[in-house]
Amino acid sequence: MVVGALHKQRSDKIVAQAEERVRAYIEQSPTPVFCWELASPAVVSNSLLSIAGSLERARLVECSKAFMDEFTTPGAPVDIRSALRDLKGRPARAMGVLLGALLSNDGVLVDKSVELEVEDTKERFILSGRLLFAGGGIYRIWGNIRNVTEAARIEREALASRERIELA
């Protein structure tokens, strides 16, 4: 009995250390990394609308500084437990596209390039993510949303410049 208790105590300590390492990695990531946790598991179906209620109540439980910088208003107080329904504009559109793509790709998405138009501005994003399942449904959504608009613009300019040089 004492051996079992010691083993559990040691296991709990190892898990806590691993979680702290993951949290430190996420916080320091140069990529907008996030984890949303649903209040209760959302039953998986082919329709995003069928899980909309659970998604509305999803809470941000982990995110990188890069996520906060990209998707929150500078200088505004941010609650890490903010709700998915509180997202507006670009992040809301990007999350909607990411969730739809995750549902149609068996819960895993790697580097999907999308162009979103918000308020007459087109921006390019690279989306990656994974749905985690428990209790018969989705309970966490891990992912990252990288805004590559500026990088795409620079690449287009470099290609145009190269073409002009080759024509000269």
Side-chain angles (χ1 to χ4, degrees):
M1 191 104 149
V2 172
V3 173
L6 288 174
H7 180 69
K8 180 175 178 358
Q9 188 178 32
R10 183 170 179 231
S11 296
D12 290 347
K13 183 178 178 181
I14 290 169
V15 167
Q17 289 171 339
E19 287 175 347
E20 186 54 39
R21 284 193 303 273
V22 169
R23 188 170 291 110
Y25 170 77
I26 290 168
E27 289 172 356
Q28 297 171 18
S29 175
T31 302
V33 177
F34 59 86
C35 179
W36 296 93
E37 187 170 272
L38 282 62
S40 60
V43 177
V44 181
S45 74
N46 291 330
S47 169
L48 188 57
L49 292 176
S50 67
I51 62 170
S54 293
L55 291 174
E56 278 254 322
R57 293 183 306 277
R59 295 274 176 207
L60 185 62
V61 293
E62 297 282 350
C63 72
S64 63
K65 180 179 180 322
F67 180 89
M68 301 301 267
D69 292 346
E70 179 71 30
F71 295 117
T72 60
T73 305
V78 178
D79 179 7
I80 187 68
R81 301 289 296 179
S82 63
L84 186 55
R85 68 173 172 253
D86 296 335
L87 288 180
K88 306 285 188 260
R90 293 179 315 147
R93 294 281 312 280
M95 284 298 298
V97 170
L98 175 60
L99 292 171
L102 282 167
L103 288 171
S104 62
N105 286 288
D106 297 323
V108 178
L109 185 68
V110 178
D111 292 343
K112 177 179 178 67
S113 178
V114 298
E115 189 170 86
L116 302 176
E117 188 170 339
V118 178
E119 300 170 4
D120 299 328
T121 302
K122 287 185 180 179
E123 294 186 66
R124 179 152 301 280
F125 293 87
I126 303 292
L127 310 175
S128 296
R130 178 173 207 87
L131 299 177
L132 298 181
F133 300 90
I138 301 166
Y139 85 101
R140 277 195 171 174
I141 305 159
W142 276 98
N144 66 62
I145 301 174
R146 296 176 304 219
N147 187 335
V148 294
T149 305
E150 185 64 14
R153 183 191 63 75
I154 291 168
E155 185 177 341
R156 283 192 308 274
E157 287 177 4
L159 287 172
S161 179
R162 185 182 317 154
E163 288 173 1
R164 285 192 301 273
I165 291 169
E166 289 174 356
L167 291 175

